[in-house]
Amino acid sequence: MGETRLPRHMFLWSMAIIYMFAFASLYVQIPGLYGNEGVLPVRLVEPRVDGSRPVLEQIHAHPSLLWLGPRLGLDLDAQQAMELLCLAGALLALGAALLEPLRDSLVFFCLWALYLSLCQVGQDFLRFQWDSLLLEAGFLTVLVAPLNLLRWRSAFRQHDAVTFWLVRWLLFRLTFGSGVAKLASHCPSWWGLTAVKHMFEAQGIPLPWSWFIQQLPDWYLKLGTVGLLVTEIAVPALYFAPIRHLRLAAFYIQVLYQVKLMFVGNYGFLPFLSLALTFSLLDDDHISYWLGHGKKKSAKTWHQTIMSLVLLAVFAAIIYGTKVLFTLEMDWEAKTMTSKTAFTQQQFGNWLKLVTGPTIWVGVLSLTWEVVAQVYSSKILPEVRQAYSLVERYRLVSAYSLDSRVDGRSEVVFEGSMDKNTWTEIEFMYKPGNVGVAPPVVAPHQPRLDWQMSQAAQGLADQSPWFTSLVHCLLQGNKDVVRLIQTDSAQYPFSQAPPVYLRASLYRYWSGPKEWWRRDYSEEFYPAVQLGDPTLEGMLNQHGLKETFPIQPSPDSPLAQALKQVRGHVQTLPDHLVLWSLLATVATIWLFKTLLSGVLGGRKAKPTPAEPKAKKAKAQPAAKNASASSLKAGRETSEESRRDADKSPKKRK
């Protein structure tokens, strides 16, 4: 196995950027989601300080740094305590992205602890699969990063490659688990190979060009479904291949897939996080080749020839298996390709039972090889093994099944009225609503309310308790909640006065042939209600969303005032523009840093001042000989130059 120092640096830098996006995206949404009058007020679920128990014991029982809020003067405002954690995480991640010494195990542990604290009280809006993935990958980052901040006098110490292998195992679980879940869900779209055709219109927040992809020929989109299944089910086995070129091929396939995911939907930081995990398939030699510092190519040996033949044989087997299992047939006259699933659900279940055991053993053998290699080179750190024992305590292992079902698109549409006769539709900034409005570009921002609205449309209102709270907030005219829907008051029809009545309907959406969308009414999703309505009050009480104690006034501590000022500045921009501004800032700093290092590196070194005669007398004989040789060579060079000048045509004339 080759060295993985450079891939680990790339992974750590990527994780710092992802943390920065995650914290910043959540921060701009906190008032509307978790504020004192938000959809799910954090003060209703925040951990309460028990004076009879030590703080560390309370943190161990309920892992959240919100316990420290009262000690920071934020005991009366849980929203500001949450904002403080987000700002601290975003700034710390920004520092780690710009300064290499901050990409330390201790720094990444703080980032992981901050995000875990937020997820503990985030409820439905922080229970997405990418949040679990960030927590699991974030803890592995703590193990991969060097531990230097507490060792000022010691040399730079990197962790061993065994911990980096865990990142590869997480990548395998993510991709292979998601691929298997697609077929194991018995979704007709996946078995009928039409999932990609519907995926572009069914994803949470589509992109504008998703509409154009939707218009591609059906046979091409079915072929895309086949390629996606092969990428997620067959290719992950190559992650543990003993042949380096197979792992590199798997890396490029996964990179291509994740980049495609970035350009077909607003998936927030999920594609960036998945892309960061793929760095575990690289080694130093390949990255050096990217940078132009690779080894010079030599004539192929018989060993390299055999490896190339094995590489071709493996991919030939994958292509042949794909053709057989999905009945790929080329129609040359029509210039199309037909495809259909050639195996049954029972056969797939039997195959899954058959490969589960060997898959685990392949992972075990791969890990064993890494352990043996590192033991032989004496690079395993004792503290890594101790830190890894914390994984079980915090249950940092999740099952991933991304896009396991693709059932078309349904959307919940709000309508408000002042007299219960004339109804006006309420448009969201990000999720589909008006059929004539193009989908927006918001990544890497993650609009969590819009995503939850898409999830709620797949079930009933009773299955989404937060929906009743959202209705209640809109009837009250809560400005922070309205800002999640529309930051421009001119686009919100009830900006002057909240609606007296509110209702929600369920619509079925499709990609329109001429317009961006076409839709049909399905059914009533939420009945028309008003403030004080028995139905509304009953559902608030049922879901524990009714006030149990009055809202306390905000504290006047300096920290609280500083948080208010920061919030006031951030609210002047739409949420996604805040993320883009942060991204532009990081890119600009990196550009200046690169240019500055290039200028300083290109300067000629200044000549050293003449040494005193006493020091010259003490110079080593070797130095004298070297100096004399250089002077002699200089004189010879100058004499040759004069002779050449004499022989020149101009001189002869």
Side-chain angles (χ1 to χ4, degrees):
M1 297 292 179
E3 290 292 331
T4 58
R5 183 180 60 85
L6 294 177
R8 277 178 281 176
H9 281 302
M10 294 171 61
F11 172 69
L12 296 177
W13 180 83
S14 301
M15 287 299 298
I17 294 291
I18 293 165
Y19 265 125
M20 181 185 68
F21 287 152
F23 281 115
S25 178
L26 181 59
Y27 171 77
V28 295
Q29 303 175 77
I30 283 179
L33 294 180
Y34 303 110
N36 292 330
E37 297 179 351
V39 179
L40 292 176
V42 66
R43 59 191 176 82
L44 300 181
V45 296
E46 68 170 324
R48 296 293 172 184
V49 177
D50 185 359
S52 62
R53 298 174 60 190
V55 175
L56 292 180
E57 182 180 338
Q58 297 180 60
I59 292 178
H60 180 77
H62 187 94
S64 178
L65 294 177
L66 288 177
W67 287 108
L68 304 178
R71 301 175 184 272
L72 298 175
L74 303 176
D75 53 327
L76 299 179
D77 197 334
Q79 171 190 333
Q80 287 197 329
M82 210 171 175
E83 290 180 355
L84 178 62
L85 296 186
C86 271
L87 285 176
L91 292 175
L92 193 59
L94 175 62
L98 298 176
L99 302 174
E100 184 175 349
L102 289 182
R103 290 170 219 153
D104 186 85
S105 182
L106 183 61
V107 172
F108 281 110
F109 177 79
C110 292
L111 292 172
W112 172 81
L114 289 169
Y115 204 76
L116 176 65
S117 301
L118 297 169
C119 289
Q120 290 292 330
V121 297
Q123 306 168 80
D124 292 337
F125 294 110
L126 275 170
R127 289 177 182 168
F128 293 105
Q129 293 193 52
W130 41 83
D131 294 314
S132 300
L133 181 62
L134 180 56
L135 284 176
E136 187 170 354
F139 190 80
L140 294 181
T141 308
V142 177
L143 305 181
V144 173
L147 184 60
N148 290 321
L149 290 182
L150 299 180
R151 303 180 180 184
W152 299 103
R153 298 182 181 180
S154 63
F156 185 81
R157 297 187 63 180
Q158 280 282 356
H159 282 174
D160 54 273
V162 176
T163 53
F164 201 42
W165 180 93
L166 297 175
V167 178
R168 188 186 307 177
W169 178 248
L170 175 58
L171 174 65
F172 174 82
R173 288 175 36 232
L174 173 66
T175 53
F176 185 73
S178 298
V180 167
K182 288 176 173 58
L183 295 179
S185 66
H186 306 302
C187 177
S189 296
W190 288 111
W191 284 91
L193 304 181
T194 60
V196 169
K197 178 179 176 59
H198 301 300
M199 186 181 295
F200 296 109
E201 64 182 10
Q203 57 189 298
I205 305 177
L207 285 168
W209 39 88
S210 297
W211 184 90
F212 297 97
I213 299 176
Q214 190 75 15
Q215 312 308 315
L216 292 174
D218 290 345
W219 70 267
Y220 185 84
L221 296 176
K222 291 181 72 175
L223 188 61
T225 305
V226 173
L228 194 153
L229 291 173
V230 172
T231 299
E232 291 191 340
I233 297 178
V235 174
L238 303 181
Y239 297 169
F240 310 110
I243 301 176
R244 172 175 175 266
H245 288 83
L246 288 176
R247 298 194 302 274
L248 293 177
F251 164 78
Y252 283 109
I253 293 174
Q254 285 300 330
V255 167
L256 182 63
Y257 171 62
Q258 296 303 331
V259 170
K260 183 203 72 174
L261 196 63
M262 295 179 190
F263 284 95
V264 299
N266 290 288
Y267 287 96
F269 58 80
L270 175 61
F272 299 94
L273 182 52
S274 302
L275 192 60
L277 298 178
T278 61
F279 294 147
S280 61
L281 302 175
L282 296 175
D283 54 34
D284 286 356
D285 290 341
H286 196 67
I287 297 178
S288 297
Y289 172 76
W290 287 351
L291 301 175
H293 302 149
K295 299 178 181 178
K296 294 182 179 179
K297 291 186 177 180
S298 57
K300 277 193 174 183
T301 63
W302 65 269
H303 178 74
Q304 294 174 331
T305 303
I306 292 177
M307 292 298 101
S308 300
L309 293 176
V310 171
L311 180 66
L312 292 175
V314 168
F315 280 96
I318 292 177
I319 294 173
Y320 178 76
T322 302
K323 180 182 183 302
V324 172
L325 293 175
F326 295 100
T327 321
L328 300 180
E329 297 291 341
M330 186 68 186
D331 187 346
W332 296 103
E333 294 183 359
K335 296 182 179 180
T336 61
M337 180 174 288
T338 60
S339 56
K340 65 178 181 179
T341 307
F343 53 93
T344 64
Q345 296 181 2
Q346 183 178 359
Q347 289 174 331
F348 176 74
N350 295 335
W351 173 84
L352 190 58
K353 293 178 182 178
L354 182 66
V355 302
T356 299
T359 300
I360 296 175
W361 278 109
V362 167
V364 170
L365 291 175
S366 177
L367 175 61
T368 303
W369 175 261
E370 292 287 352
V371 171
V372 171
Q374 296 305 313
V375 168
Y376 182 75
S377 58
S378 302
K379 291 183 179 179
I380 289 185
L381 301 179
E383 56 266 34
V384 175
R385 294 193 295 269
Q386 297 174 4
Y388 183 66
S389 64
L390 297 174
V391 174
E392 294 184 354
R393 179 182 302 176
Y394 291 93
R395 300 179 181 179
L396 293 177
V397 177
S398 303
Y400 303 102
S401 55
L402 303 175
D403 295 323
S404 59
R405 296 194 64 87
V406 181
D407 298 325
R409 181 173 209 92
S410 295
E411 283 294 342
V412 177
V413 176
F414 273 114
E415 292 177 300
S417 174
M418 306 301 290
D419 55 8
K420 212 175 183 179
N421 293 320
T422 303
W423 295 89
T424 303
E425 185 172 325
I426 298 176
E427 294 288 338
F428 281 66
M429 284 186 295
Y430 305 125
K431 82 176 191 68
N434 190 332
V435 295
V437 177
V441 179
V442 299
H445 177 51
Q446 183 70 59
R448 295 183 179 267
L449 178 60
D450 295 72
W451 269 92
Q452 280 290 7
M453 289 288 291
S454 298
Q455 297 295 320
Q458 307 303 320
L460 301 174
D462 294 342
Q463 299 172 351
S464 303
W466 58 269
F467 194 87
T468 297
S469 179
L470 175 61
V471 171
H472 188 249
C473 291
L474 293 180
L475 288 172
Q476 291 179 322
N478 184 282
K479 293 182 179 180
D480 290 330
V481 177
V482 170
R483 193 177 183 278
L484 293 176
I485 298 175
Q486 284 289 348
T487 53
D488 185 1
S489 59
Q491 300 297 323
Y492 188 69
F494 302 99
S495 58
Q496 301 299 322
V500 177
Y501 300 94
L502 199 66
R503 70 182 183 185
S505 302
L506 191 66
Y507 284 83
R508 185 75 172 177
Y509 275 69
W510 295 272
S511 294
K514 296 182 179 180
E515 291 186 298
W516 292 102
W517 301 102
R518 60 185 178 92
R519 70 182 187 183
D520 291 332
Y521 176 83
S522 294
E523 58 184 353
E524 180 185 78
F525 187 80
Y526 204 91
V529 294
Q530 60 180 333
L531 289 177
D533 189 288
T535 302
L536 180 62
E537 295 295 324
M539 295 188 73
L540 288 173
N541 289 323
Q542 177 185 348
H543 299 308
L545 298 171
K546 195 68 177 174
E547 296 295 343
T548 56
F549 51 87
I551 300 176
Q552 300 294 331
S554 301
D556 293 327
S557 64
L559 180 58
Q561 294 299 325
L563 290 173
K564 287 181 180 179
Q565 291 184 1
V566 174
R567 171 61 60 188
H569 290 295
V570 170
Q571 285 184 337
T572 59
L573 289 175
D575 295 347
H576 65 283
L577 291 183
V578 175
L579 270 291
W580 291 356
S581 300
L582 184 60
L583 179 61
T585 301
V586 174
T588 303
I589 294 176
W590 266 105
L591 178 61
F592 276 110
K593 185 178 178 181
T594 303
L595 293 177
L596 186 61
S597 62
V599 171
L600 294 179
R603 290 180 179 176
K604 294 182 179 180
K606 294 181 179 180
T608 55
E611 295 182 355
K613 293 182 179 180
K615 290 186 177 181
K616 288 184 178 180
K618 296 180 180 180
Q620 297 294 332
K624 291 182 178 180
N625 294 336
S627 177
S629 300
S630 60
L631 291 175
K632 182 178 180 181
R635 287 194 298 268
E636 292 176 354
T637 302
S638 60
E639 290 175 0
E640 290 178 0
S641 300
R642 285 195 298 270
R643 286 196 298 267
D644 292 341
D646 293 339
K647 295 177 182 179
S648 63
K650 291 183 178 181
K651 188 72 175 177
R652 288 196 299 267
K653 290 180 181 179

